[in-house]
Amino acid sequence: MYLLIRILIVSLFSLPVWADEYLANVMQHIAPPQSQLAINIWDIEKNSSVYSINEQTLMQPASIQKLLTAVAATKQLGTDFYYETQVYIDGVVVQQQLNGDVYIKFSGDPSFTREQLKQLLTTLKTKDIQHINGNVILVSPTSESLRAPGWVWDDLGICYAAPVSDFIIDKNCVRASLSPLADNASEIIIDAQYPVEISTKAVFKPNIDVTQAKAQFCELHMQRFDGNRYRISGCYPGNQTISLAVAVNDPSRYAKDVIKAILNDKQVNYANLIISKQSIPPSAQLLATHQSEKLPKLLKIMLEKSDNLIADSLLKNIGQDFYRQTFNSDNIEGLDINGFTMGAKALQSILIELNLPFNDANLVDGSGLSRYNLLTSAQMLSVLQLIDSDTRFQYLTEFLPISGKSGTLKYQQHFNKPPLKAAISAKTGTMLGVENLAGFIQAKNGKHYAFVIIENGLTPDAKQTRLAPFSALLLRRLYDLQP
């Protein structure tokens, strides 16, 4: 009997102790010398720690922050949440003329497209409205806090950092191309549907190889001006056309210009096109509504593709809903409950309400783009544990990128081939100097682990010369861990 008990004790406690020593030894050989690391590995079945290092150190999370947003959106908004964009008319239609105004109410739908806007405005024709003896009013009831504190200036003209506004059309992103001319000068090619102005002074350098561009100081620059005007300058190696994805600088003006073009194309006349924060008059008649996909579909896109615009749009909605429920109208008067600051405060409050240890975190946005975001690997592990154990959030695991199969892990080297292929479902978090991964791995020994790997301070040169990402090296050892 004594021997049986001894065997049971050894079997219960030897693996975590042995695994910790094994992984600590592995770390001595694979830990990058220049990076700062914070790691948690958790045995889900045994509900015990396998390995941790620097788990209480505050680090930049980058896009693994989207896991926090997904949990908070599920808790606060519910899985039936969706965005609505609506068209109202206020007046009487007589002989193809509306004696009154048209209201277009935007809601910050991050998935709303120009084609969907066209379909909404086509309903004016179904009402036989050819002329509007009044205004077309774009209604935006919320604040235009477009960018979170700590977003890097260099990112602001690029589509992954598009401004977060009530006015979103085609992700507030303009597609164009930069093409070489015979004298190695350049020209911008852009579809006429985009109401922006992009000029170029950039030159192509056929004698410079792409790999030598940095050493030759050959790089492109973009300046942003009022009125959605841009200028490209600098140089680009080679002589091949390149694609550009330019973030709209002024979303409200862009929306006005797009609507103006659509109405002109449909030959609908009107007095003025204006933007207002006024409420829709009670006398107005709802003409048409577009509904986005419900929250789970939005979160699937957000987590799989690491969509920043969806994450930060939802953050604003979380803040609006949270503070409207927390305070009455008198208490929130004068507060910007629609901006990033209140959204981030609501995000942190919701996580604390869920008994997660986020009191000491610094949360600024929903996407992880801000350099001001700071959290610990232990805090991120608590989110994974909640997602794994709480039935309200378990559906989120289905939306995580799968190594070698989907999302941001589909084509990543060392993750898209055996043994890690299909073994990992995790959220990536990458920006300059940061490479993080948080999720779950099914090891060869049949065990299921939750893990958080945060690596900050990774220089571009170190990233280029390494044999493999640190996270891939560590997870390969974890995958091979013996039972």
Side-chain angles (χ1 to χ4, degrees):
M1 184 67 177
Y2 171 78
L3 179 61
L4 177 59
I5 293 173
R6 184 178 176 86
I7 292 172
L8 286 172
I9 291 173
V10 169
S11 65
L12 284 171
F13 294 103
S14 62
L15 176 60
V17 173
W18 176 84
D20 181 80
E21 292 177 353
Y22 167 75
L23 291 172
N25 183 57
V26 164
M27 285 287 291
Q28 292 180 12
H29 295 88
I30 68 170
Q34 80 288 341
S35 299
Q36 299 87 52
L37 301 172
I39 300 168
N40 279 90
I41 299 173
W42 188 264
D43 186 322
I44 291 177
E45 285 77 16
K46 291 193 173 181
N47 198 31
S48 62
S49 175
V50 175
Y51 179 78
S52 67
I53 184 172
N54 299 328
E55 64 175 348
Q56 299 300 331
T57 301
L58 289 167
M59 308 276 276
Q60 292 182 355
S63 284
I64 62 174
Q65 177 127 334
K66 292 183 176 74
L67 288 168
L68 281 57
T69 305
V71 166
T74 300
K75 167 84 164 50
Q76 188 64 40
L77 304 177
T79 54
D80 287 331
F81 170 83
Y82 55 84
Y83 290 92
E84 282 189 322
T85 307
Q86 298 172 316
V87 176
Y88 293 81
I89 58 173
D90 187 26
V92 179
V93 180
V94 179
Q95 295 181 344
Q96 296 186 320
Q97 297 190 52
L98 171 64
N99 295 316
D101 299 319
V102 172
Y103 293 86
I104 306 173
K105 185 178 181 181
F106 285 79
S107 63
D109 179 357
S111 63
F112 192 59
T113 67
R114 184 190 184 104
E115 192 57 39
Q116 290 162 350
L117 179 59
K118 280 184 183 179
Q119 293 172 7
L120 280 179
L121 295 177
T122 298
T123 57
L124 294 172
K125 287 287 190 178
T126 64
K127 280 287 187 179
D128 201 26
I129 297 173
Q130 195 70 44
H131 185 83
I132 301 166
N133 291 328
N135 299 319
V136 176
I137 303 171
L138 281 60
V139 178
S140 168
T142 66
S143 160
E144 285 297 89
S145 171
L146 302 179
R147 300 171 179 92
W151 284 15
V152 177
W153 177 261
D154 295 351
D155 293 343
L156 299 185
I158 305 172
C159 284
Y160 65 73
V164 185
S165 168
D166 274 357
F167 301 110
I168 298 176
I169 300 172
D170 292 333
K171 294 187 173 296
N172 284 343
C173 179
V174 172
R175 303 289 177 178
S177 59
L178 185 71
S179 296
L181 298 174
D183 59 354
N184 293 328
S186 62
E187 66 174 346
I188 294 289
I189 300 173
I190 184 170
D191 195 298
Q193 71 169 338
Y194 295 121
V196 301
E197 179 186 324
I198 306 178
S199 60
T200 177
K201 290 186 176 181
V203 295
F204 282 82
K205 297 285 187 179
N207 59 323
I208 297 179
D209 186 77
V210 173
T211 60
Q212 297 300 314
K214 184 178 178 181
Q216 297 290 325
F217 304 103
C218 185
E219 57 185 17
L220 292 176
H221 306 279
M222 183 173 67
Q223 292 175 280
R224 299 177 293 119
F225 303 98
D226 291 341
N228 291 320
R229 295 178 298 116
Y230 310 83
R231 181 186 297 134
I232 309 295
S233 60
C235 81
Y236 191 80
N239 59 356
Q240 299 296 314
T241 296
I242 62 171
S243 297
L244 302 175
V246 180
V248 170
N249 194 43
D250 185 343
S252 58
R253 176 164 183 155
Y254 185 77
K256 281 180 65 175
D257 290 342
V258 168
I259 289 171
K260 179 180 179 181
I262 293 173
L263 292 176
N264 288 346
D265 183 62
K266 295 183 178 297
Q267 299 181 326
V268 175
N269 302 311
Y270 52 91
N272 295 293
L273 186 61
I274 62 176
I275 292 176
S276 174
K277 289 187 178 182
Q278 71 183 78
S279 300
I280 305 293
S283 57
Q285 172 191 349
L286 178 61
L287 189 62
T289 298
H290 171 79
Q291 294 181 348
S292 74
E293 298 282 359
K294 290 188 177 182
L295 181 68
K297 183 63 178 292
L298 296 174
L299 293 181
K300 178 179 172 64
I301 297 169
M302 182 189 80
L303 293 173
E304 277 195 353
K305 298 184 177 182
S306 203
D307 192 301
N308 295 324
L309 190 61
I310 292 177
D312 286 318
S313 297
L314 288 173
L315 180 84
K316 287 188 171 185
N317 291 107
I318 290 166
Q320 293 165 23
D321 194 77
F322 182 82
Y323 284 105
R324 286 198 180 102
Q325 288 186 18
T326 304
F327 303 118
N328 60 40
S329 58
D330 293 334
N331 289 333
I332 64 173
E333 186 175 356
L335 295 177
D336 181 14
I337 66 166
N338 308 300
F340 279 93
T341 300
M342 300 300 273
K345 286 183 180 297
L347 173 61
Q348 187 169 19
S349 296
I350 292 165
L351 295 172
I352 292 171
E353 285 181 1
L354 289 167
N355 296 317
L356 302 182
F358 273 82
N359 298 76
D360 298 327
N362 192 58
L363 307 181
V364 177
D365 62 16
S367 62
L369 266 179
S370 175
R371 293 284 177 167
Y372 297 167
N373 291 310
L374 291 170
L375 52 77
T376 69
S377 61
Q379 289 166 338
M380 184 56 67
L381 178 65
S382 73
V383 173
L384 294 176
Q385 291 168 331
L386 179 74
I387 290 172
D388 179 73
S389 62
D390 193 317
T391 55
R392 292 173 295 175
F393 307 110
Q394 285 174 346
Y395 78 103
L396 296 174
T397 60
E398 301 172 9
F399 303 156
L400 293 174
I402 298 174
S403 51
K405 289 199 168 185
S406 65
T408 52
L409 283 177
K410 185 172 184 178
Y411 300 110
Q412 277 206 23
Q413 268 192 315
H414 306 282
F415 290 94
N416 61 355
K417 55 188 176 183
L420 294 183
K421 183 177 181 179
I424 296 167
S425 57
K427 182 70 197 76
T428 55
T430 306
M431 54 188 182
L432 183 62
V434 177
E435 191 164 281
N436 306 331
L437 196 63
F440 306 93
I441 182 171
Q442 188 78 37
K444 184 168 65 175
N445 62 20
K447 297 189 72 65
H448 194 208
Y449 300 102
F451 66 86
V452 179
I453 302 171
I454 299 179
E455 181 180 5
N456 288 186
L458 177 64
T459 67
D461 287 341
K463 187 173 182 177
Q464 188 174 6
T465 57
R466 67 188 179 181
L467 295 176
F470 166 72
S471 58
L473 295 175
L474 180 59
L475 290 173
R476 173 64 188 268
R477 303 309 192 280
L478 181 61
Y479 178 84
D480 289 334
L481 199 64
Q482 296 299 312

